Amino acid sequence: MDPWHIEPFDLTLRLILALFLGGLIGLEREKNNHPAGLRTHILVCVGSALLMLLSMYGFSAFVDEGNVRLDPARLAAQVIPGIGFLGAGTIIRNGFSVMGLTTAASLWVAAAIGLSVGAGFYYASFLSTALVLISLWTLNIVEKKYFENKQTYWLKLVTKQKQGTLAHISANLERRGIAIRQISMEESDWEQSESADRPDRLTLSILIRVSKPELLIEVTEEMKLLPGMERVGIETA
């Protein structure tokens, strides 16, 4: 076997295996409402596999050279951290909600494909592009059908200010598998007392994502029992 050459079948097998294994991890993350889900993990795993293949087999033309005066991989290696900064600019965090992770991952894998094309690693480039497009198109349909059936609601709470109240509420929601997407707080002084130096009421608006509407009844009943809780309401987002 030539250690500097890889057959198309072996290359295909490695990239598809990367897609499958990365998808397994992403599937678990998706089910548990984590920002980096199915498509993001697949893109990163396929891109990493492509870069490894490029590093191992993409520069085989230089193997037989007796005295190579340049390192063809040196400049290409700087693209990886560089594209990371560009991808970070597409990620937006809004409270507990994170957007743009898949776009950042697609930029990263696109950089890997570009490096492969530049190195003349054509078959791997076309195959990786096909796998990425399949991931983005088909898995987008799968996510909408099986993962985005969860509904979002605004959980409106009015409670007396007390240290640890928000942490306690968040823990109760997390224990029931309810994802928090956004939180807004507003302080208000309902007592209108002259001795009150600061607001003593806290109005919380929590955007939650639930898979079963019946969980809303359980949540509202549980929230009403919390110390200092004065009002609990649910609104459709």
Side-chain angles (χ1 to χ4, degrees):
M1 295 179 61
D2 186 356
W4 307 108
H5 178 72
I6 184 172
E7 295 296 330
F9 175 79
D10 292 330
L11 190 149
T12 303
L13 179 63
R14 295 186 191 188
L15 286 175
I16 292 179
L17 183 61
L19 183 147
F20 175 72
L21 296 179
L24 287 179
I25 299 173
L27 183 63
E28 190 277 335
R29 296 288 84 189
E30 189 81 40
K31 286 186 176 180
N32 288 281
N33 295 309
H34 288 273
L38 187 61
R39 290 182 295 169
T40 304
H41 280 79
I42 286 178
L43 292 176
V44 171
C45 197
V46 170
S48 300
L50 177 59
L51 287 173
M52 190 65 211
L53 290 168
L54 174 63
S55 178
M56 294 172 62
Y57 305 106
F59 306 99
S60 58
F62 296 90
V63 173
D64 296 329
E65 295 292 332
N67 185 16
V68 179
R69 298 180 179 274
L70 56 87
D71 179 7
R74 181 179 62 182
L75 185 60
Q78 308 308 312
V79 175
I80 308 307
I83 202 67
F85 287 101
L86 181 62
T90 67
I91 300 174
I92 302 174
R93 182 179 181 89
N94 183 12
F96 283 81
S97 178
V98 179
M99 299 177 291
L101 284 171
T102 300
T103 301
S106 64
L107 282 173
W108 187 80
V109 74
I113 293 172
L115 290 174
S116 298
V117 172
F121 215 32
Y122 301 126
Y123 177 74
S125 302
F126 280 107
L127 179 60
S128 299
T129 301
L131 293 176
V132 168
L133 291 177
I134 290 173
S135 301
L136 290 174
W137 288 341
T138 62
L139 293 181
N140 185 43
I141 298 174
V142 171
E143 286 181 353
K144 288 182 179 179
K145 184 175 181 180
Y146 294 103
F147 297 113
E148 293 189 359
N149 57 346
K150 299 181 179 181
Q151 300 296 318
T152 54
Y153 300 89
W154 282 105
L155 177 62
K156 305 283 188 175
L157 306 172
V158 178
T159 179
K160 293 182 179 179
Q161 290 199 43
K162 185 177 180 182
Q163 187 175 5
T165 299
L166 183 57
H168 191 57
I169 293 172
S170 300
N172 286 344
L173 294 175
E174 184 177 353
R175 179 168 53 84
R176 293 184 176 275
I178 298 176
I180 298 176
R181 293 306 183 194
Q182 185 177 338
I183 294 180
S184 62
M185 295 180 291
E186 181 182 350
E187 295 178 336
S188 58
D189 183 5
W190 284 15
E191 298 291 339
Q192 298 296 328
S193 172
E194 295 181 357
S195 62
D197 297 326
R198 58 181 181 177
D200 62 356
R201 293 294 185 277
L202 189 64
T203 301
L204 297 172
S205 297
I206 306 176
L207 183 63
I208 58 176
R209 186 182 179 194
V210 298
S211 57
K212 300 177 180 179
E214 53 266 28
L215 284 177
L216 295 175
I217 299 177
E218 300 177 10
V219 168
T220 53
E221 293 299 324
E222 185 173 342
M223 293 298 169
K224 290 178 181 178
L225 299 177
L226 293 178
M229 189 63 65
E230 297 186 350
R231 185 184 302 174
V232 179
I234 294 286
E235 296 179 7
T236 304

